[in-house]
Amino acid sequence: MKVAVIGAGQLGRMLALAGYPLGIRCEFYDRSADTPGGQVGPITTGEFDDVAKLAEFASRAGVLTFDWENIPVSSLEPLAGLVPIYPQPAALAVAQDRLLEKTLFRDLGIPTPPFAPVDLRSDLEAAIGRIGMPGILKTRRLGYDGKGQARIRTRADIDAAWAALGGEALIYEGFVRFSREVSLVAVRSSRDETACYPLAENVHVDGILAETRAPAPRSSALQRTAERHVKAVLERYRYVGVLAMEFFVENGKLVANEMAPRVHNSGHWTIEGAETSQFENHLRAIAGLPLGSTAARGHAAMVNFVGRMPALAGALAIPGLHLHDYGKREARPGRKLGHGTVVATTARARDLLLARLRRLA
Ligand code: AMP
């Protein structure tokens, strides 16, 4: 089975690595060859709007998927007659636009922060009047890892937020005073099978995921609600593949922040910490194979290496550390270069290892 993957970042790389033992081969398409995915599988280089080149690439595979969320949906749609595309472009289109995404959640009865579309400065004034402050002004499209966002704490912040983002299609959201952030990674197969991983608890620094612990402590009631919410989205699209949803926990209740129609950073712990990794289950789902168990094998923690990789010898001195270096040549501030995972039999032992792992980051 050959899987065509548009985007050859670290997510694509880990998909390919999960595919090899099963005899599933991933081939990549990206702008440059020296990418995390291109280092471990064949790669075609081209622009993301070169539909002819994408069509030639897609037609060689049994199924098409993507590891990057900002692929123009207009580039995928013409490929639909050539090869099955999973997850479905309709779900991708909604996930690419924060306003459509939050509107979908609201339609499905999934709680969200209060939100309002903002195109003009007067819309922002009206949104603040209705929702109040503090809040966050975000671009509707192309925002990730905290980019394209401006906090508005008091009226004094409005000018700077508008100067930074005004002119684009925006959304204003009320600020959620959350006690913690959690995410649910779920998978639905083309055979209608659905499975959910245990909730993960995430810590973000400057809008970028810093660390994940899974299963999230004290989360059995939240797990049931999170699964209901994610399954509502899966059913809406008859979705195929991995879908991740991020939530705030506010006063003990889930408030949905966003969804990612792909394998997700908060699911990297599943490589060593679950019976079947999110990457393998994504491949199983899109290839029409039975899903693997999503049960945790213990208590896992994952730490991202952002902007800098730790020295290999120091990292490997931590007992049981699983190190992942994405092979990126250029280290830039804010760029995810790798991650480390530890798995222990108790939450306490995991937290002790996590303390050591944090010092590497
Ligand atoms: P996002 O790009 O929307 O995932 O935002 C990145 C991070 O910013 C989130 O994980 C939160 O830590 C924070 N954040 C985003 N939106 C809100 C909000 N409405 N209220 C509070 N914190 C937020």
Side-chain angles (χ1 to χ4, degrees):
M1 169 71 138
K2 202 190 285 181
V3 176
V5 186
I6 303 183
Q10 63 265 24
L11 302 178
R13 179 187 180 101
M14 289 184 270
L15 267 184
L17 295 176
Y20 282 116
L22 305 182
I24 296 177
R25 286 181 31 241
C26 292
E27 292 200 8
F28 295 101
Y29 184 104
D30 209 325
R31 283 204 200 96
S32 82
D34 188 14
T35 45
Q39 291 165 10
V40 303
I43 184 158
T44 300
T45 55
E47 293 301 318
F48 291 114
D49 57 2
D50 186 341
V51 176
K53 204 164 200 181
L54 280 166
E56 191 191 312
F57 168 71
S59 60
R60 295 197 298 266
V63 61
L64 179 80
T65 190
F66 43 85
D67 95 327
W68 189 55
E69 217 167 301
N70 291 320
I71 301 162
V73 172
S74 56
S75 296
L76 290 181
E77 276 160 352
L79 312 179
L82 301 172
V83 62
I85 305 176
Y86 297 133
Q88 290 87 335
L92 176 65
V94 169
Q96 284 178 345
D97 183 325
R98 292 184 190 275
L99 181 64
L100 299 182
E101 183 179 58
K102 292 224 157 59
T103 305
L104 169 77
F105 293 161
R106 195 174 57 192
D107 291 349
L108 293 172
I110 303 170
T112 67
F115 65 92
V118 171
D119 295 315
L120 307 170
R121 169 97 193 213
S122 55
D123 298 330
L124 179 58
E125 294 289 347
I128 290 172
R130 185 165 70 75
I131 294 168
M133 289 178 290
I136 307 190
L137 189 62
K138 300 180 179 179
T139 56
R140 280 173 58 176
R141 303 179 66 83
L142 299 176
Y144 64 98
D145 284 349
K147 294 186 177 65
Q149 301 193 2
R151 300 243 167 138
I152 299 182
R153 291 177 182 82
T154 66
R155 293 206 62 83
D157 297 327
I158 298 177
D159 281 341
W162 188 255
L165 303 175
E168 290 192 58
L170 303 171
I171 179 172
Y172 181 74
E173 292 176 18
F175 193 82
V176 179
R177 287 186 179 78
F178 57 84
S179 54
R180 50 186 185 141
E181 293 186 83
V182 295
S183 58
L184 191 81
V185 174
V187 57
R188 184 177 178 281
S189 77
S190 57
R191 298 152 55 122
D192 286 350
E193 228 187 312
T194 298
C196 298
Y197 287 94
L199 272 172
E201 182 169 320
N202 305 314
V203 177
H204 293 85
V205 175
D206 298 332
I208 303 175
L209 182 66
E211 67 179 53
T212 295
R213 289 187 300 164
R218 307 175 311 280
S219 60
S220 50
L222 295 179
Q223 179 84 29
R224 280 190 297 279
T225 311
E227 290 192 10
R228 186 157 42 83
H229 293 334
V230 173
K231 283 176 181 167
V233 177
L234 295 174
E235 287 311 316
R236 165 64 60 103
Y237 295 101
R238 300 191 59 72
Y239 186 97
V240 175
V242 165
L243 174 79
M245 250 173 105
E246 295 185 76
F247 300 94
F248 304 116
V249 183
E250 187 187 34
N251 301 323
K253 298 253 164 35
L254 294 174
V255 177
N257 177 27
E258 60 181 357
M259 66 179 192
R262 52 169 170 76
V263 285
H264 194 252
N265 195 171
S266 70
H268 291 359
W269 67 273
T270 62
I271 298 176
E272 296 89 5
E275 290 296 338
T276 315
S277 79
Q278 62 165 347
F279 300 98
E280 180 172 332
N281 260 337
H282 183 70
L283 293 173
R284 290 183 185 220
I286 67 175
L289 296 166
L291 296 180
S293 164
T294 48
R297 281 177 172 160
H299 296 267
M302 188 258 358
V303 167
N304 270 338
F305 301 127
V306 180
R308 185 184 74 82
M309 276 303 287
L312 191 58
L316 297 184
I318 297 180
L321 173 74
H322 301 281
L323 187 76
H324 296 258
D325 183 328
Y326 304 149
K328 294 184 184 174
R329 304 275 183 232
E330 224 184 301
R332 271 184 266 116
R335 192 170 197 215
K336 293 173 182 169
L337 302 178
H339 74 267
T341 300
V342 288
V343 186
T345 49
T346 65
R348 193 179 138 69
R350 181 266 320 275
D351 288 342
L352 291 172
L353 286 168
L354 171 60
R356 293 184 65 179
L357 187 48
R358 264 185 206 137
R359 287 198 286 275
L360 294 175

